[in-house]
mmCIF file of all heavy atoms in Angstrom:
data_model
loop_
_atom_site.group_PDB
_atom_site.id
_atom_site.type_symbol
_atom_site.label_atom_id
_atom_site.label_comp_id
_atom_site.label_asym_id
_atom_site.label_seq_id
_atom_site.Cartn_x
_atom_site.Cartn_y
_atom_site.Cartn_z
ATOM 1 N N ILE I 46 10.451 -108.966 -32.177
ATOM 2 C CA ILE I 46 11.805 -109.469 -31.932
ATOM 3 C C ILE I 46 12.514 -109.807 -33.231
ATOM 4 O O ILE I 46 13.739 -109.808 -33.308
ATOM 5 C CB ILE I 46 11.747 -110.717 -31.022
ATOM 6 C CG1 ILE I 46 13.151 -111.228 -30.702
ATOM 7 C CG2 ILE I 46 10.939 -111.860 -31.651
ATOM 8 C CD1 ILE I 46 13.371 -111.653 -29.324
ATOM 9 N N LYS I 47 11.738 -110.086 -34.286
ATOM 10 C CA LYS I 47 12.347 -110.549 -35.523
ATOM 11 C C LYS I 47 13.058 -109.440 -36.291
ATOM 12 O O LYS I 47 13.791 -109.725 -37.234
ATOM 13 C CB LYS I 47 11.306 -111.253 -36.398
ATOM 14 C CG LYS I 47 10.602 -112.408 -35.726
ATOM 15 C CD LYS I 47 11.529 -113.539 -35.266
ATOM 16 C CE LYS I 47 12.296 -114.164 -36.365
ATOM 17 N NZ LYS I 47 12.710 -115.554 -36.047
ATOM 18 N N THR I 50 16.582 -110.475 -35.842
ATOM 19 C CA THR I 50 16.949 -111.557 -36.751
ATOM 20 C C THR I 50 17.215 -111.006 -38.143
ATOM 21 O O THR I 50 18.226 -111.325 -38.777
ATOM 22 C CB THR I 50 15.800 -112.590 -36.823
ATOM 23 O OG1 THR I 50 15.426 -112.914 -35.490
ATOM 24 C CG2 THR I 50 16.192 -113.820 -37.591
ATOM 25 N N ALA I 75 6.728 -116.619 -41.087
ATOM 26 C CA ALA I 75 5.375 -116.522 -40.532
ATOM 27 C C ALA I 75 4.907 -115.071 -40.532
ATOM 28 O O ALA I 75 3.770 -114.780 -40.191
ATOM 29 C CB ALA I 75 5.346 -117.097 -39.122
ATOM 30 N N ASN I 77 6.707 -111.944 -39.187
ATOM 31 C CA ASN I 77 7.491 -110.908 -38.506
ATOM 32 C C ASN I 77 8.892 -110.731 -39.102
ATOM 33 O O ASN I 77 9.364 -109.598 -39.248
ATOM 34 C CB ASN I 77 7.590 -111.221 -37.010
ATOM 35 C CG ASN I 77 6.320 -110.825 -36.268
ATOM 36 O OD1 ASN I 77 5.621 -109.905 -36.677
ATOM 37 N ND2 ASN I 77 6.024 -111.510 -35.185
ATOM 38 N N THR I 78 9.557 -111.824 -39.450
ATOM 39 C CA THR I 78 10.889 -111.672 -40.059
ATOM 40 C C THR I 78 10.765 -110.955 -41.397
ATOM 41 O O THR I 78 11.615 -110.128 -41.753
ATOM 42 C CB THR I 78 11.551 -113.048 -40.267
ATOM 43 O OG1 THR I 78 11.598 -113.697 -39.010
ATOM 44 C CG2 THR I 78 12.966 -112.916 -40.826
ATOM 45 N N GLN I 154 16.293 -117.797 -42.409
ATOM 46 C CA GLN I 154 16.337 -117.581 -40.955
ATOM 47 C C GLN I 154 16.376 -118.869 -40.132
ATOM 48 O O GLN I 154 16.925 -118.882 -39.030
ATOM 49 C CB GLN I 154 15.128 -116.751 -40.517
ATOM 50 C CG GLN I 154 13.789 -117.384 -40.891
ATOM 51 C CD GLN I 154 12.617 -116.719 -40.195
ATOM 52 O OE1 GLN I 154 12.760 -116.153 -39.132
ATOM 53 N NE2 GLN I 154 11.440 -116.768 -40.802
ATOM 54 N N ASN I 160 21.532 -115.725 -37.458
ATOM 55 C CA ASN I 160 20.358 -115.401 -36.647
ATOM 56 C C ASN I 160 20.690 -115.593 -35.163
ATOM 57 O O ASN I 160 20.632 -114.658 -34.357
ATOM 58 C CB ASN I 160 19.213 -116.326 -37.136
ATOM 59 C CG ASN I 160 17.975 -116.331 -36.252
ATOM 60 O OD1 ASN I 160 17.884 -115.635 -35.254
ATOM 61 N ND2 ASN I 160 16.992 -117.149 -36.628
ATOM 62 N N HIS I 164 21.492 -112.758 -31.912
ATOM 63 C CA HIS I 164 20.804 -112.758 -30.613
ATOM 64 C C HIS I 164 21.798 -112.904 -29.460
ATOM 65 O O HIS I 164 21.627 -112.300 -28.403
ATOM 66 C CB HIS I 164 19.771 -113.885 -30.546
ATOM 67 C CG HIS I 164 18.466 -113.512 -31.171
ATOM 68 N ND1 HIS I 164 17.644 -112.529 -30.655
ATOM 69 C CD2 HIS I 164 17.843 -113.969 -32.268
ATOM 70 C CE1 HIS I 164 16.576 -112.414 -31.405
ATOM 71 N NE2 HIS I 164 16.664 -113.271 -32.397
ATOM 72 N N ALA I 186 9.647 -119.298 -26.060
ATOM 73 C CA ALA I 186 9.229 -120.227 -27.110
ATOM 74 C C ALA I 186 10.184 -120.063 -28.288
ATOM 75 O O ALA I 186 10.894 -119.062 -28.370
ATOM 76 C CB ALA I 186 7.809 -119.905 -27.546
ATOM 77 N N THR I 187 10.193 -121.025 -29.203
ATOM 78 C CA THR I 187 11.056 -120.874 -30.373
ATOM 79 C C THR I 187 10.305 -121.146 -31.667
ATOM 80 O O THR I 187 9.395 -121.963 -31.719
ATOM 81 C CB THR I 187 12.268 -121.832 -30.351
ATOM 82 O OG1 THR I 187 11.828 -123.126 -30.729
ATOM 83 C CG2 THR I 187 12.924 -121.898 -29.014
ATOM 84 N N GLY I 188 10.749 -120.432 -32.710
ATOM 85 C CA GLY I 188 10.294 -120.704 -34.067
ATOM 86 C C GLY I 188 11.490 -121.230 -34.833
ATOM 87 O O GLY I 188 11.630 -122.413 -35.123
ATOM 88 N N THR I 189 12.438 -120.304 -35.107
ATOM 89 C CA THR I 189 13.704 -120.730 -35.715
ATOM 90 C C THR I 189 14.649 -121.300 -34.668
ATOM 91 O O THR I 189 15.570 -122.039 -34.997
ATOM 92 C CB THR I 189 14.427 -119.532 -36.359
ATOM 93 O OG1 THR I 189 14.787 -118.599 -35.319
ATOM 94 C CG2 THR I 189 13.550 -118.843 -37.376
ATOM 95 N N GLY I 190 14.474 -120.892 -33.417
ATOM 96 C CA GLY I 190 15.404 -121.273 -32.349
ATOM 97 C C GLY I 190 16.488 -120.235 -32.127
ATOM 98 O O GLY I 190 17.268 -120.335 -31.177
ATOM 99 N N GLY I 191 16.541 -119.209 -32.980
ATOM 100 C CA GLY I 191 17.602 -118.202 -32.886
ATOM 101 C C GLY I 191 17.635 -117.472 -31.559
ATOM 102 O O GLY I 191 18.713 -117.282 -30.971
ATOM 103 N N THR I 192 16.471 -117.074 -31.066
ATOM 104 C CA THR I 192 16.443 -116.326 -29.807
ATOM 105 C C THR I 192 16.911 -117.200 -28.651
ATOM 106 O O THR I 192 17.810 -116.829 -27.883
ATOM 107 C CB THR I 192 15.016 -115.813 -29.494
ATOM 108 O OG1 THR I 192 14.482 -115.156 -30.632
ATOM 109 C CG2 THR I 192 15.038 -114.868 -28.322
ATOM 110 N N LEU I 193 16.293 -118.373 -28.502
ATOM 111 C CA LEU I 193 16.599 -119.227 -27.339
ATOM 112 C C LEU I 193 18.059 -119.673 -27.359
ATOM 113 O O LEU I 193 18.747 -119.618 -26.339
ATOM 114 C CB LEU I 193 15.663 -120.440 -27.319
ATOM 115 C CG LEU I 193 15.793 -121.315 -26.077
ATOM 116 C CD1 LEU I 193 15.377 -120.558 -24.817
ATOM 117 C CD2 LEU I 193 14.944 -122.585 -26.207
ATOM 118 N N GLU I 237 1.110 -118.037 -33.225
ATOM 119 C CA GLU I 237 1.770 -117.970 -34.537
ATOM 120 C C GLU I 237 3.256 -117.676 -34.356
ATOM 121 O O GLU I 237 3.643 -116.982 -33.421
ATOM 122 C CB GLU I 237 1.120 -116.871 -35.393
ATOM 123 C CG GLU I 237 -0.318 -117.172 -35.742
ATOM 124 C CD GLU I 237 -0.964 -116.101 -36.623
ATOM 125 O OE1 GLU I 237 -0.247 -115.398 -37.348
ATOM 126 O OE2 GLU I 237 -2.200 -115.991 -36.576
ATOM 127 N N GLY I 238 4.063 -118.201 -35.295
ATOM 128 C CA GLY I 238 5.495 -117.873 -35.305
ATOM 129 C C GLY I 238 6.326 -118.734 -34.384
ATOM 130 O O GLY I 238 7.534 -118.583 -34.318
ATOM 131 N N ILE I 239 5.679 -119.648 -33.649
ATOM 132 C CA ILE I 239 6.435 -120.508 -32.729
ATOM 133 C C ILE I 239 6.027 -121.966 -32.903
ATOM 134 O O ILE I 239 4.993 -122.271 -33.488
ATOM 135 C CB ILE I 239 6.259 -120.085 -31.253
ATOM 136 C CG1 ILE I 239 4.777 -120.025 -30.864
ATOM 137 C CG2 ILE I 239 6.953 -118.763 -31.005
ATOM 138 C CD1 ILE I 239 4.546 -119.796 -29.372
ATOM 139 N N SER I 282 2.597 -115.560 -28.662
ATOM 140 C CA SER I 282 3.851 -116.199 -28.241
ATOM 141 C C SER I 282 4.337 -115.605 -26.925
ATOM 142 O O SER I 282 4.973 -116.292 -26.123
ATOM 143 C CB SER I 282 4.931 -116.077 -29.326
ATOM 144 O OG SER I 282 5.486 -114.786 -29.386
ATOM 145 N N ALA I 308 7.368 -110.776 -27.415
ATOM 146 C CA ALA I 308 7.952 -110.847 -28.765
ATOM 147 C C ALA I 308 7.318 -109.900 -29.773
ATOM 148 O O ALA I 308 7.991 -109.410 -30.677
ATOM 149 C CB ALA I 308 7.878 -112.281 -29.279
ATOM 150 N N ASP I 309 6.009 -109.689 -29.660
ATOM 151 C CA ASP I 309 5.341 -108.706 -30.531
ATOM 152 C C ASP I 309 4.041 -108.279 -29.882
ATOM 153 O O ASP I 309 3.731 -108.692 -28.757
ATOM 154 C CB ASP I 309 5.166 -109.233 -31.976
ATOM 155 C CG ASP I 309 4.202 -110.405 -32.100
ATOM 156 O OD1 ASP I 309 3.664 -110.873 -31.067
ATOM 157 O OD2 ASP I 309 3.983 -110.869 -33.248
ATOM 158 N N TYR I 314 -2.723 -109.683 -33.847
ATOM 159 C CA TYR I 314 -3.615 -110.861 -33.783
ATOM 160 C C TYR I 314 -4.961 -110.484 -33.173
ATOM 161 O O TYR I 314 -5.657 -111.320 -32.599
ATOM 162 C CB TYR I 314 -2.979 -111.965 -32.920
ATOM 163 C CG TYR I 314 -1.520 -112.154 -33.208
ATOM 164 C CD1 TYR I 314 -0.548 -111.468 -32.484
ATOM 165 C CD2 TYR I 314 -1.103 -113.006 -34.226
ATOM 166 C CE1 TYR I 314 0.805 -111.611 -32.767
ATOM 167 C CE2 TYR I 314 0.243 -113.165 -34.510
ATOM 168 C CZ TYR I 314 1.187 -112.458 -33.780
ATOM 169 O OH TYR I 314 2.517 -112.609 -34.065
HETATM 170 N N1 LIG K 401 7.360 -114.919 -31.324
HETATM 171 C C1 LIG K 401 6.954 -114.400 -32.494
HETATM 172 C C2 LIG K 401 5.760 -113.508 -32.485
HETATM 173 C C3 LIG K 401 7.638 -114.706 -33.684
HETATM 174 O O1 LIG K 401 7.227 -114.174 -34.844
HETATM 175 C C4 LIG K 401 8.753 -115.581 -33.627
HETATM 176 C C5 LIG K 401 9.507 -115.954 -34.867
HETATM 177 N N2 LIG K 401 8.782 -116.491 -35.915
HETATM 178 C C6 LIG K 401 9.126 -116.106 -32.391
HETATM 179 C C7 LIG K 401 8.418 -115.746 -31.261
HETATM 180 C C8 LIG K 401 10.245 -117.109 -32.278
HETATM 181 O O2 LIG K 401 11.534 -116.554 -32.344
HETATM 182 P P1 LIG K 401 12.737 -117.406 -32.941
HETATM 183 O O3 LIG K 401 12.529 -117.527 -34.421
HETATM 184 O O4 LIG K 401 13.959 -116.604 -32.600
HETATM 185 O O5 LIG K 401 12.766 -118.753 -32.293
#
Side-chain angles (χ1 to χ4, degrees):
I46 182 139
K47 304 300 300 205
T50 311
N77 281 331
T78 303
Q154 57 167 334
N160 169 2
H164 277 294
T187 78
T189 64
T192 310
L193 186 65
E237 295 181 25
I239 55 172
S282 76
D309 67 358
Y314 317 92

